Amino acid sequence: MIASGRVVAGRYEILDRISEGGMATVYRARRLTDGAVVALKVLREQFSGDAEFVERFQREARAVSQLRHPCMVEIYDSGADGPVHYIAMEYVEGSNLKEYLRREGRLSPERALQIAAQVADALAHAHAHGIVHRDVKPQNILLTADGRVKVTDFGIARALSAATITHTGTVLGSVQYLSPEQARGAAVGEAADLYALGVVLYEMVTGRLPFEDDAPIALALAHIHRDPPPPRMLVPDLPERVEGIILRALRKAPAERYRSAGEMRSDLLGQSDLWRLPPPQPAAGPAPAPPRRMPASVIVGASAVVLAVGLWLGWRALAGYLTVPEVTVPDFVGQPLEVAEQMAQQAGLRLLVAEQVHSATAPPHTVVSQDQPPGKVVKRGRVVRVTTSLGAEVVVVPDVEGRSLQEARLLIDQARLRIGELREAFDEQVAGGFVLAQDPQPGARVERGRAINLVVSKGPQRLTMPALIGRPLPEARRLLQEMGITLAEVRTATRADVDPGTVVEQSPAAGTRMRAQDPVAVTVAVRPGQEDVPPTTPVVTAQAQPGAADEKVTLVQVVVPAGDPAQEVRIVVVDETGVRELLRQPFAPGDRVAETVRSRGYTIIQVYLQGRLVQEIRP
């Protein structure tokens, strides 16, 4: 894990982490040369230690960086900073399609076709430059805030395919979208991307995958042998055209799918009806000529010759075996498989990988055992069976956020992981003893035995009410604001013994233990006969109001102070929906402005007077 503030390769300052997957961790970073925000993908340790994989990965990144398309995430740079191997790419504000589907459920056919057409457009551009994606899935399809598509991770699956089986944990994470030819281990072309896009379109319009199983092997076999349930069986009102496009893309034989991503895009946009056409049939060749009969005498003579030759060759083979020279078996254990194969070849032996096992100590591709002990004398050409390492076992991180610490411990232990750093933090919504956050994130694929760091809630924070009596109102308000407390009500009382604007009463009393959102009221002094005179400074108060479960309702009141005859009051709201201006209007001194603010999630309400910020409220 890379800490915020670290500078990678002298060019990228890490701001915060965006996500973590089985292959890499993605950070939001600032490019120091121009201040632009980028997404920095950093390879996980088990990948960065594989020189062959890193070299291929960087080669693929350089190839993809030549592509420029509005529906593709642009790659700016790639390289290494010591053991840290990274790719700098375009930072996309928004979420990926998988997250979008989890929120929205199945999409309307129109929206699904719109998204799929943009993906097909990006694939067509990549295919035209000789690059096949190989891992099209919703997690690699990003949606910008305005709904546009950005496809990412081109070339990563190609790099993975050259890595050892240690990395199949990552590849199998996409097995739901795997084409039949990929599942069989055959050569992969452009048609594999179209099959995967067909699976994505199926998921978008039905809300489920065509094949579902907990076992990756069973899923791979389903892609090879089974037909998916027709989409209209799940969604009866689905247009026939949408089903036809999906079923053509999901045909088992690559030649029976669309001939190109451009063809599929044309159907998706309704510009053609290729989905109606039957699958192309292989061309018929000339009929074979009928076999000619041989005379019986020729058959008998030929058989005798074959038998004689066979007996002679058998005798030669037996005699040869009895005279084969003997060699000594080398010690292959601890050697990389490539080196062990060279040793076997030099010794006149043949090496066969009979088994692969996980190992926390042996690097991937390393021999961990052999069936013929070192030093044994065997016949030259003998097959020696070896077991190689898959590297550390990879497991999936469970989701423990919102669970009690005791339950989290149990789930982490069952996942063959362990508890790492435990930190505590106050939280107004989560009760004490329950998990607020975890690192790595749920669903990440990590080495068995990895430490999972947790942040555990201490419950709501309790503050001590400060002494406000005797303070001028602006000073009292500033003191409360520094503690995160919002002033809810300001009353006035006629007092001749203290300066006007001085706090003479407060509620709650000084020393009271309270929450930050508890209402606070003060009473300030005014001179007799000046009860209606505008205050010398603006008075801003905020009161929580009842609202829906997922929204905050705050009544904000402003008393305009003495001064110019027309003073502009501006109220700005910042919440999870964005930034919006609620009010911008001139008012006369003494006017009382009241606005009801509805917001969602973490909220900041800013009150400006004559362009100057006078109060920030955090309900």
Side-chain angles (χ1 to χ4, degrees):
M1 196 61 62
I2 299 177
S4 299
R6 175 170 172 178
V7 175
V8 175
R11 294 195 292 276
Y12 304 103
E13 179 190 2
I14 300 296
L15 300 177
D16 50 44
R17 188 185 64 193
I18 299 173
S19 63
E20 183 171 4
M23 192 191 71
T25 302
V26 183
Y27 298 92
R28 193 167 62 93
R30 180 180 291 106
R31 189 165 54 198
L32 297 181
T33 54
D34 58 3
V37 174
V38 302
L40 199 71
K41 175 167 286 192
V42 177
L43 289 183
R44 295 180 61 80
E45 186 177 352
Q46 71 264 34
F47 288 91
S48 61
D50 187 332
E52 179 185 355
F53 171 75
V54 168
E55 193 279 330
R56 178 175 284 264
F57 185 83
Q58 296 289 1
R59 186 166 66 246
E60 291 298 327
R62 288 192 293 271
V64 177
S65 67
Q66 306 303 312
L67 301 180
R68 295 289 187 277
H69 191 275
C71 293
M72 293 175 61
V73 171
E74 185 177 351
I75 292 182
Y76 301 134
D77 178 29
S78 62
D81 183 357
V84 176
H85 297 271
Y86 66 87
I87 297 176
M89 59 186 70
E90 176 186 2
Y91 175 68
V92 179
E93 286 275 10
S95 60
N96 65 47
L97 179 57
K98 195 70 171 180
E99 296 167 342
Y100 185 66
L101 289 174
R102 288 196 188 106
R103 290 197 310 267
E104 303 295 328
R106 64 184 179 93
L107 306 183
S108 68
E110 296 76 16
R111 177 62 174 143
L113 290 174
Q114 180 190 54
I115 291 173
Q118 293 182 65
V119 176
D121 201 11
L123 292 176
H125 181 73
H127 294 170
H129 289 78
I131 293 177
V132 179
H133 192 291
R134 290 175 171 81
D135 196 20
V136 176
K137 58 184 178 181
Q139 293 90 331
N140 285 337
I141 300 171
L142 307 182
L143 300 177
T144 64
D146 58 359
R148 290 181 296 111
V149 164
K150 290 278 189 177
V151 185
T152 187
D153 278 2
F154 277 89
I156 285 178
R158 179 183 177 97
L160 282 170
S161 67
T164 71
I165 199 168
T166 308
H167 304 135
T168 58
T170 301
V171 177
L172 288 178
S174 311
V175 75
Q176 296 94 338
Y177 308 90
L178 212 61
S179 67
E181 57 269 31
Q182 283 175 291
R184 286 193 300 266
V188 174
E190 298 172 4
D193 284 350
L194 306 186
Y195 183 94
L197 180 54
V199 178
V200 172
L201 182 56
Y202 188 109
E203 184 179 7
M204 284 194 287
V205 298
T206 67
R208 53 169 286 184
L209 290 158
F211 305 114
E212 294 180 332
D213 199 296
D214 291 336
I217 298 301
L219 275 174
L221 291 174
H223 283 290
I224 295 172
H225 299 296
R226 285 168 46 196
D227 290 326
R232 296 178 77 193
M233 187 174 76
L234 305 175
V235 185
D237 60 347
L238 187 69
E240 182 185 4
R241 180 171 76 91
V242 179
E243 182 181 70
I245 294 172
I246 293 172
L247 295 181
R248 174 152 187 161
L250 294 186
R251 286 175 182 165
K252 302 299 181 188
E256 295 182 1
R257 300 171 203 151
Y258 290 97
R259 291 181 300 175
S260 67
E263 275 195 357
M264 186 172 179
R265 177 179 179 273
S266 180
D267 262 12
L268 289 165
L269 294 175
Q271 298 170 350
S272 60
D273 288 316
L274 299 173
W275 59 272
R276 294 183 183 275
L277 301 179
Q281 300 297 321
R292 298 174 56 189
R293 289 184 174 275
M294 283 189 178
S297 59
V298 175
I299 295 174
V300 172
S303 300
V305 172
V306 170
L307 178 61
V309 171
L311 290 172
W312 180 76
L313 290 175
W315 170 253
R316 288 287 305 272
L318 177 61
Y321 177 77
L322 294 175
T323 59
V324 169
E326 295 180 327
V327 296
T328 301
V329 176
D331 185 0
F332 300 119
V333 175
Q335 298 293 340
L337 180 58
E338 186 178 337
V339 174
E341 287 173 337
Q342 293 173 355
M343 293 169 60
Q345 186 177 10
Q346 291 169 0
L349 300 170
R350 288 187 296 138
L351 218 59
L352 173 66
V353 178
E355 188 180 3
Q356 295 175 313
V357 297
H358 290 287
S359 172
T361 55
H365 276 317
T366 302
V367 177
V368 294
S369 67
Q370 58 190 81
D371 70 342
Q372 300 299 321
K376 182 179 178 179
V377 177
V378 298
K379 295 290 185 182
R380 185 181 182 87
R382 173 74 179 265
V383 174
V384 179
R385 290 175 170 80
V386 297
T387 299
T388 58
S389 170
L390 291 172
E393 182 177 356
V394 176
V395 298
V396 177
V397 177
D399 185 356
V400 298
E401 292 181 5
R403 299 181 183 272
S404 68
L405 181 57
Q406 182 179 8
E407 188 178 2
R409 287 185 186 277
L410 177 63
L411 289 172
I412 289 172
D413 184 60
Q414 288 175 342
R416 292 169 295 178
L417 301 167
R418 61 186 177 87
I419 297 285
E421 179 186 359
L422 279 176
R423 293 191 295 108
E424 291 185 314
F426 291 108
D427 191 272
E428 294 299 321
Q429 280 75 44
V430 179
F434 285 76
V435 177
L436 282 173
Q438 65 181 90
D439 179 33
Q441 295 297 305
R445 305 181 73 87
V446 300
E447 303 91 342
R448 178 178 176 176
R450 168 82 177 267
I452 308 299
N453 301 323
L454 302 178
V455 179
V456 181
S457 172
K458 297 198 306 185
Q461 183 178 14
R462 296 294 185 229
L463 305 173
T464 301
M465 180 66 181
L468 305 177
I469 295 175
R471 299 178 185 271
L473 178 59
E475 181 183 336
R477 184 174 59 197
R478 186 168 54 253
L479 179 59
L480 293 173
Q481 187 174 345
E482 289 172 355
M483 297 178 65
I485 301 172
T486 300
L487 191 58
E489 185 180 2
V490 177
R491 297 185 287 263
T492 59
T494 303
R495 294 284 294 269
D497 55 334
V498 295
D499 293 334
T502 302
V503 176
V504 293
E505 295 179 14
Q506 69 177 82
S507 176
T512 301
R513 298 286 290 171
M514 57 178 290
R515 298 178 304 168
Q517 66 266 34
D518 288 345
V520 173
V522 298
T523 302
V524 297
V526 296
R527 288 279 189 247
Q530 296 185 349
E531 291 83 0
D532 297 325
V533 174
T536 56
T537 59
V539 176
V540 181
T541 60
Q543 291 178 306
Q545 304 289 308
D550 59 345
E551 77 171 353
K552 297 178 179 178
V553 181
T554 309
L555 176 62
V556 177
Q557 300 183 78
V558 182
V559 180
V560 180
D564 296 335
Q567 302 181 54
E568 182 186 74
V569 176
R570 180 173 173 236
I571 299 178
V572 176
V573 181
V574 184
D575 66 356
E576 66 179 25
T577 66
V579 181
R580 63 187 185 277
E581 188 175 71
L582 188 65
L583 173 72
R584 188 169 192 163
Q585 185 178 335
F587 291 91
D591 281 356
R592 294 179 178 271
V593 182
E595 286 291 331
T596 299
V597 178
R598 298 181 181 274
S599 60
R600 297 183 183 276
Y602 182 75
T603 301
I604 299 175
I605 303 171
Q606 298 177 326
V607 180
Y608 293 84
L609 184 69
Q610 295 291 71
R612 179 174 60 88
L613 178 65
V614 296
Q615 181 80 35
E616 274 196 349
I617 302 162
R618 291 175 169 80

